[in-house]
């Protein structure tokens, strides 16, 4: 849940919530970037003195913290960008939730309509859109695309429904994918 969702639930003006959240996030980003730079310096110092066991231990600890902090920093930057876009009016701050019926309708769109080719019969194989196929290596079962060559959705799971296919193949957000299918 983001700041604008919380503002709506608490009946607080969205603009005020966006400004307040940005005032919190900007110093946090600066602090996190400094921390990340310090961690990288610790790691680099340990590489230059491999015989120092204390530095090696600190470098291991820094490596573990570096990944976590980098992921958080990316999240903070994305949230900042969304809030700045909202305040500049470049993007409607809409977090409309779709009804269950709308999501079911989006998932019910035949997978064959989204692929370049359609199977000749229900158990036929199709070419996977996520890797070069000389011979078809994927099948469609219950409107889910399953690749037998090892491709897996970024969201986990065994295959792609129509929403996940559009999100991953075309780089759409969840909302954009659902709107495209409806």
């Amino acid at each position: 849940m983001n700041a604008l969702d919380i503002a709506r639930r608490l009946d607080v003006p969205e603009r005020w919530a966006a400004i307040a959240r940005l005032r919190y996030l900007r110093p946090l980003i600066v602090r996190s970037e400094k921390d990340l730079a310090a961690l990288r310096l610790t790691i680099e110092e340990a590489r230059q003195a491999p015989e120092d066991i204390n530095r090696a231990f600190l470098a291991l600890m820094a490596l573990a913290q570096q990944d976590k902090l980098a992921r958080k920093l990316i999240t903070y930057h994305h949230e900042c960008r969304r809030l700045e876009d909202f305040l500049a009016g470049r993007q409607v701050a809409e977090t409309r939730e779709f009804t269950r019926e709308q999501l079911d309708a989006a998932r019910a769109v035949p997978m064959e309509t989204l692929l370049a080719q359609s199977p000749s019969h229900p158990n036929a194989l199709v070419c996977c859109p996520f890797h070069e196929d000389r011979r078809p290596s994927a099948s469609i079962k219950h409107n889910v695309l399953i690749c037998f060559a090892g491709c897996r959705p970024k969201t986990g799971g065994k295959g792609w429904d129509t929403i996940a296919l559009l999100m991953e193949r075309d780089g759409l957000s969840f909302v954009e994918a659902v709107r495209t299918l409806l």
Side-chain angles (χ1 to χ4, degrees), residues 38-122:
L39 290 171
R40 289 182 177 146
L41 182 63
T42 302
I43 294 166
E44 189 56 38
E45 287 173 352
R47 284 188 182 141
Q48 292 175 359
E51 68 283 345
D52 187 350
I53 193 75
N54 289 332
R55 282 192 180 171
F57 178 74
L58 288 175
L60 284 174
M61 297 296 290
L63 278 171
Q65 291 175 348
Q66 179 184 9
D67 288 340
K68 245 196 259 185
L69 188 56
R71 276 188 243 117
K72 279 185 182 178
L73 198 53
I74 289 169
T75 305
Y76 297 154
H77 277 294
H78 283 284
E79 186 178 356
C80 249
R81 193 172 315 122
R82 281 192 307 269
L83 291 171
E84 288 166 350
D85 285 346
F86 168 71
L87 289 173
R90 288 189 292 262
Q91 178 180 340
V92 177
E94 179 181 323
T95 58
R96 180 189 127 188
E97 293 182 16
F98 296 99
T99 64
R100 173 61 49 203
E101 292 78 23
Q102 289 173 314
L103 292 175
D104 290 342
R107 288 188 178 103
V109 171
M111 182 67 70
E112 294 82 7
T113 62
L114 303 176
L115 300 173
Q117 79 283 359
S118 60
S120 54
H121 58 84

Side-chain angles (χ1 to χ4, degrees), residues 20-37:
R21 181 69 177 163
L22 280 171
R23 283 186 183 151
Y24 170 76
L25 282 174
R26 286 183 179 138
L28 184 62
I29 288 172
V30 170
R31 212 170 34 250
S32 297
E33 286 174 342
K34 286 179 183 176
D35 292 345
L36 193 58

Side-chain angles (χ1 to χ4, degrees), residues 147-159:
C147 179
F148 299 109
C151 293
R152 293 285 178 255
K154 290 179 182 174
T155 57
K158 295 181 180 178

Side-chain angles (χ1 to χ4, degrees), residues 159-181:
W160 295 265
D161 65 5
T162 53
I163 297 170
L165 178 76
L166 286 182
M167 287 173 62
E168 197 163 327
R169 185 189 68 186
D170 301 343
L172 301 177
S173 70
F174 178 81
V175 172
E176 293 168 332
V178 173
R179 284 187 183 145
T180 301
L181 291 166

